[in-house]
């Protein structure tokens, strides 16, 4: 199987969201263990790849990714990957994520049984959330709950969880950081769902954007970005003002969302993910150097 097909399946343009959450979470703790950071990044990336593969699999089986789709080609719906091949890939990524996650907990938690139980529960919930978005009898992504799940798992779970692995305490910076990461991740998903509104409506996938309708979904996008910037302002100090460089791609992405439809929103999604990474890395730099 050509590598470019699997790159298409894992959706590289969305992966900066996982990096943003982990980096910001680590920095919010005020101290960074490089080994823990590396394993946390690997685990988060594998979980997001799992979610992307499962989404391709679930939507492909349900016929959601049809000819009217305006987003990037999906590998199952386009016939580039078979059901069996994609299912095997999902199993492999689950095993890799479990291995990475256990190594992370071993390094960060030692023999703290209570912490182990808590993080094992979070890990299990993360895997279930990745699979349950489009899989199962009642996938929550088809009921408009995907945005809430993205906020929870890319915000509080990823950011505060990473911060706790660095230093077992809840810092005020972590709360603001969780809001920034969660809101910006929701903004990326909202662009995806605005772009796919026509196809989702035909497939019975009632995303939040579809429920809101185009005008209110656009207004929601502006609101998410505004709230994220307000939360980010609480973290800006010293080198953290470099985060302002992320506002430019975010602004261009918002302009596209407010004025364009269809395939042009693919660029808006990529710009918003890029802006998220730049902004959060800038904030993280300020937090670790202040």
């Amino acid at each position: 199987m050509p590598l470019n097909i699997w790159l298409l399946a894992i959706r590289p343009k969305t992966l900066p969201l996982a990096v943003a959450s982990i980096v910001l979470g680590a920095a919010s703790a005020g101290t960074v263990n490089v080994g823990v950071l590396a394993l946390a990044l690997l685990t988060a990336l594998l979980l997001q790849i799992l979610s992307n593969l499962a989404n391709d699999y679930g939507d492909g089986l349900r016929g959601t990714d049809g000819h009217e789709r305006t987003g990037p080609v999906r590998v199952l719906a386009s016939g580039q990957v078979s059901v069996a091949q994609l299912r095997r890939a999902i199993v492999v990524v689950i095993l890799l994520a479990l291995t990475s996650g256990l190594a992370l907990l071993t390094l960060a938690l030692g023999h703290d049984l209570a912490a182990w139980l808590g993080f094992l529960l979070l890990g299990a919930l993360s895997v279930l959330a990745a699979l349950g978005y489009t899989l199962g009898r009642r996938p929550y992504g088809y009921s408009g709950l995907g945005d809430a799940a993205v906020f929870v798992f890319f915000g509080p779970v990823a950011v505060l969880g990473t911060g706790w692995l660095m230093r077992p305490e809840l810092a005020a910076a972590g709360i603001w950081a969780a809001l920034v990461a969660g809101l910006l991740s929701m903004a990326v998903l909202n662009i995806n769902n605005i772009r796919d509104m026509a196809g989702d409506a035909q497939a019975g996938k009632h995303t939040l954007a579809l429920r809101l309708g185009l005008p209110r979904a656009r207004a929601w996008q502006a609101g998410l970005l505004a709230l994220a910037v307000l939360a980010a302002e609480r973290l800006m100090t010293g080198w953290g003002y470099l985060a302002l460089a992320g506002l430019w791609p975010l602004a261009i992405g918002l302009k596209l969302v407010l004025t364009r439809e269809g395939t042009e929103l693919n660029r808006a999604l990529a710009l918003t993910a890029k802006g998220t990474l730049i902004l959060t890395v800038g904030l993280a730099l300020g937090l670790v150097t202040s």
Side-chain angles (χ1 to χ4, degrees), residues 87-162:
R87 187 186 297 123
R88 284 195 296 269
I90 289 171
V91 172
V92 168
V93 174
I94 289 175
L95 293 175
L96 289 173
L98 290 175
T99 301
S100 175
L102 289 173
L104 169 63
L105 297 185
T106 300
L107 178 61
L109 301 179
H111 300 291
D112 188 338
L113 180 59
W116 264 92
L117 292 175
F119 276 94
L120 285 174
L121 177 60
L122 285 179
L125 290 174
S126 298
V127 171
L128 291 175
L131 296 174
Y133 184 70
T134 58
L135 294 177
R137 292 185 178 181
R138 295 182 180 179
Y140 65 86
Y142 281 69
S143 302
L145 298 176
D147 301 74
V150 161
F151 176 81
V152 169
F153 285 96
F154 283 87
V157 171
V159 174
L160 298 181
T162 303

Side-chain angles (χ1 to χ4, degrees), residues 50-212:
L50 171 62
S51 179
N52 291 343
L53 292 176
N55 182 262
D56 196 307
Y57 183 75
D59 281 347
L61 290 181
R62 295 172 185 275
T64 305
D65 297 329
H67 296 296
E68 69 286 343
R69 178 178 174 79
T70 55
V73 174
R74 296 301 180 225
V75 296
L76 182 59
S78 63
Q80 297 180 76
V81 171
S82 70
V83 170
Q85 287 172 321
L86 190 51
R87 187 186 297 123
R88 284 195 296 269
I90 289 171
V91 172
V92 168
V93 174
I94 289 175
L95 293 175
L96 289 173
L98 290 175
T99 301
S100 175
L102 289 173
L104 169 63
L105 297 185
T106 300
L107 178 61
L109 301 179
H111 300 291
D112 188 338
L113 180 59
W116 264 92
L117 292 175
F119 276 94
L120 285 174
L121 177 60
L122 285 179
L125 290 174
S126 298
V127 171
L128 291 175
L131 296 174
Y133 184 70
T134 58
L135 294 177
R137 292 185 178 181
R138 295 182 180 179
Y140 65 86
Y142 281 69
S143 302
L145 298 176
D147 301 74
V150 161
F151 176 81
V152 169
F153 285 96
F154 283 87
V157 171
V159 174
L160 298 181
T162 303
W164 188 272
L165 290 172
M166 296 291 172
R167 175 182 290 175
E169 61 183 48
L170 183 61
I175 297 174
W176 291 111
L179 284 173
V180 173
L183 289 167
L184 290 174
S185 296
M186 286 177 70
V188 172
L189 178 62
N190 191 51
I191 296 173
N192 180 84
N193 291 341
I194 290 174
R195 181 197 63 202
D196 295 344
M197 286 176 70
D200 288 345
Q202 292 186 20
K205 188 177 183 179
H206 304 294
T207 62
L208 178 60
L210 186 60
R211 292 177 183 273
L212 290 173

